Amino acid sequence: MNGGLLVAGTTSDAGKSVVTAGICRWLVRRGVKVAPFKAQNMSLNSFVTREGAEIGRAQAMQAQACRVEPTAHMNPVLLKPGGERSSQVVLLGRPVGEMSARGYHGGRQQRLLGTVLDSLAELRASYDVVICEGAGSPAEINLRRTDIVNMGIARGAGLPVLVVGDIDRGGVFASFFGTVALLAPEDQALVAGFLVNKFRGDVSLLEPGLEMLHGLTGRRAYGVLPFRHGLGIDEEDGLRVSLRGSVRESAVAPPVGEDVLRIAVCAVPLMSNFTDVDALAAEPGVVVRFVDRPEELADADLVVVPGTRGTVRALRWLRERGLADAIARRAAERRPVLGICGGFQLLGEHIEDEVESRAGHVDGLGLLPVRVRFAREKTLARPVGEALGERVEGYEIHHGVAEVVGGDPFLDGCRAGQTWGTHWHGSLESDGFRRAFLREVAAAAGRRFVPAPDTSFAALREEQLDRLGDLIEHHADTDALWRLIESGAPQGLPFIPPGAPA
């Protein structure tokens, strides 16, 4: 078998990533050998595969849903924004340079179509089914000529297309109709139908609208997925981060000890891999919030300075907002602070950066005895080590090279008092280490907090992926979905005017 499907969306954040993961988990539970694919991903949340390739974390999560190891072919092009108008281009897991949006869409993107089709062909040769995820909307008429991730890849590989719409935002019928009506006839012929996501209420009230949509477009709905809390795992970007709310994955279970533990994460510009704190939020009794004001650090038992694609810019932002002074006071009072990757770098004494910001010599916060020099070659690694008497696994993605000149060793970084720093993303997913670290934090903060002895982050992630598979299995027409994957888009789908403009 050589089946495939492209999951597109009416908008960004319609739920393409989680629907793709859900379809993958449903298929693998049926015994199908399946792989995920996203031709081009724009994200600051990335992951390092075992062969040392950098890909989007969403595709790593989808590979986990498929129960396979992620590879560079699953996300051949990754764009990592470095500002309003430029991104680092990562090709087949390796950075190949910075490029403006105009330069990328002006020709470079279209030249990559052969590369992404080759990666897709490699996966299709190795798996029974490949479930592809689109990006944004397939009806971006200003970008269609150079599109390699939506209808460009669908037409190039002959894939049927399922369009996902987020009904929680409203206007889903207009979004479905308008998406199809703005596509060229050749593209419309591949759009098989629709999937409604995040529905609340009585489905019978929605059914007349779905029937009318079928009459208008000749395309059916393949299911209505109900709204479920806690399924937004491994987001592609920071759009869903609420600066005034807790991390959605925070466990609802009561604390094991007498106190809760409050963790404040500084929402720095170009924040990357903020998924690092998901493992903290999974602990019963741990409350994680993203903050951007110094007064919000006052009651925090731990402050986390996360990764960023702009270390010098984040440093400037912390100083401008008064957060730098608040963090320095905490360190002087021996109250816990953790810096991860870019957050670790800016806690050091100084930074030499002629690569990322080209700012040259910049004084850091001086809270850790570390000197950082940015190298042109990016470090991509999957280290394993030990800290606080526990085994730790992580992954590294950084240009900054840290020279540790004091303090106590902590993973590849160091610790000074209650200020900790490391380049290792994902280290808190190691259960024993996370519990040991939280015990240290609780003791320093004077909290009677006790980590749950049996929280397994990996098991919680598996449960979430199974819940996504359940959503597809219970609320989608899986027989029709299987026929679509196996046989392609139905023949004779009607053209909906006006179609794409010339």
Side-chain angles (χ1 to χ4, degrees):
M1 179 182 177
N2 191 11
L5 176 70
L6 175 71
V7 178
T10 56
T11 63
S12 294
D13 204 36
K16 297 183 293 293
S17 294
V18 293
V19 166
T20 299
I23 293 173
C24 287
R25 179 49 62 101
W26 161 65
L27 287 171
V28 80
R29 293 195 306 205
R30 288 185 52 157
V32 178
K33 188 179 180 184
V34 60
F37 177 79
K38 185 161 184 172
Q40 172 193 292
N41 197 347
M42 177 173 279
S43 179
L44 287 173
N45 283 341
S46 58
F47 182 76
V48 179
T49 68
R50 293 208 179 276
E51 69 267 28
E54 184 180 8
I55 65 172
R57 268 204 69 110
Q59 280 60 66
M61 177 266 290
Q62 290 161 357
Q64 185 179 348
C66 296
R67 298 181 178 142
V68 298
E69 275 293 324
T71 72
H73 288 301
M74 295 174 183
N75 178 208
V77 181
L78 173 64
L79 305 178
K80 304 194 73 175
E84 296 280 330
R85 298 183 179 180
S86 67
S87 295
Q88 183 181 67
V89 180
V90 180
L91 182 61
L92 291 173
R94 295 289 172 182
V96 294
E98 296 279 335
M99 187 166 289
S100 69
R102 180 178 292 275
Y104 185 67
H105 291 287
R108 176 65 182 268
Q109 183 182 34
Q110 196 170 27
R111 291 196 296 273
L112 292 174
L113 180 59
T115 300
V116 301
L117 286 173
D118 287 347
S119 286
L120 178 56
E122 182 85 14
L123 292 174
R124 298 187 82 177
S126 304
Y127 294 88
D128 299 328
V129 171
V130 178
I131 304 299
C132 307
E133 179 188 344
S137 162
E140 306 287 359
I141 55 178
N142 57 316
L143 302 177
R144 176 61 186 92
R145 182 178 60 84
T146 58
D147 171 45
I148 64 169
V149 66
N150 289 305
M151 301 313 300
I153 198 78
R155 204 192 297 188
L159 296 171
V161 178
L162 183 68
V163 180
V164 177
D166 178 0
I167 197 169
D168 203 42
R169 296 181 175 208
V172 74
F173 293 118
S175 297
F176 281 143
F177 183 89
T179 296
V180 178
L182 281 177
L183 298 178
E186 297 85 354
D187 290 343
Q188 287 195 22
L190 295 172
V191 178
F194 313 107
L195 186 71
V196 177
N197 193 28
K198 302 180 189 175
F199 181 73
R200 307 172 192 248
D202 186 347
V203 176
S204 66
L205 299 177
L206 188 67
E207 288 171 350
L210 296 176
E211 292 172 7
M212 286 185 273
L213 183 67
H214 188 194
L216 288 166
T217 67
R219 291 157 174 85
R220 56 163 297 172
Y222 282 76
V224 178
L225 306 185
F227 183 92
R228 292 287 186 266
H229 288 283
L231 294 181
I233 51 181
D234 289 18
E235 299 283 2
E236 287 191 354
D237 51 43
L239 293 175
R240 297 299 299 275
V241 175
S242 169
L243 294 181
R244 296 290 172 264
S246 299
V247 174
R248 282 173 303 163
E249 288 79 6
S250 294
V252 294
V256 175
E258 297 179 48
D259 291 340
V260 299
L261 211 59
R262 296 175 177 86
I263 298 176
V265 184
C266 297
V268 297
L270 299 175
M271 182 166 47
S272 62
N273 286 69
F274 58 82
T275 48
D276 283 332
V277 301
D278 287 352
L280 296 174
E283 285 284 348
V286 173
V287 179
V288 179
R289 294 175 299 140
F290 289 87
V291 303
D292 63 350
R293 298 183 302 199
E295 57 268 27
E296 294 175 300
L297 305 187
D299 67 344
D301 302 306
L302 170 67
V303 170
V304 177
V305 187
T308 171
R309 193 46 184 111
T311 301
V312 172
R313 178 175 169 181
L315 185 57
R316 187 185 312 119
W317 181 87
L318 290 171
R319 285 178 169 139
E320 289 171 350
R321 289 180 169 259
L323 285 159
D325 290 338
I327 293 170
R329 285 194 297 271
R330 288 184 62 92
E333 295 165 1
R334 297 180 69 84
R335 300 175 66 195
V337 176
L338 171 64
I340 303 174
C341 200
F344 163 45
Q345 294 166 8
L346 60 81
L347 293 178
E349 296 172 355
H350 65 79
I351 298 167
E352 289 287 343
D353 182 11
E354 299 293 348
V355 176
E356 189 176 78
S357 68
R358 298 180 174 85
H361 180 95
V362 178
D363 289 334
L365 296 186
L367 306 182
L368 288 174
V370 173
R371 299 161 188 167
V372 176
R373 176 185 54 81
F374 273 68
R376 297 199 177 277
E377 189 72 21
K378 181 185 281 190
T379 297
L380 297 169
R382 289 279 294 269
V384 177
E386 184 176 301
L388 302 179
E390 300 286 347
R391 186 177 186 273
V392 188
E393 294 184 30
Y395 57 99
E396 294 184 65
I397 307 168
H398 54 91
H399 283 280
V401 179
E403 179 190 3
V404 178
V405 294
D408 297 318
F410 175 63
L411 302 178
D412 72 333
C414 68
R415 169 188 182 179
Q418 288 299 326
T419 302
W420 315 65
T422 178
H423 273 133
W424 291 20
H425 294 292
S427 60
L428 293 164
E429 296 178 17
S430 298
D431 297 326
F433 166 70
R434 182 180 65 256
R435 286 192 279 267
F437 178 70
L438 290 176
R439 282 193 290 269
E440 289 260 352
V441 169
R447 296 287 186 188
R448 291 171 293 182
F449 168 85
V450 178
D454 55 354
T455 300
S456 166
F457 186 72
L460 289 173
R461 277 299 164 92
E462 277 296 303
E463 289 174 15
Q464 284 184 306
L465 292 169
D466 276 330
R467 289 174 66 197
L468 292 178
D470 292 343
L471 275 181
I472 299 299
E473 189 169 336
H474 299 153
H475 300 282
D477 185 339
T478 52
D479 289 340
L481 191 58
W482 177 251
R483 288 194 298 272
L484 186 63
I485 292 168
E486 188 177 35
S487 304
Q491 296 296 308
L493 293 169
F495 170 73
I496 308 301

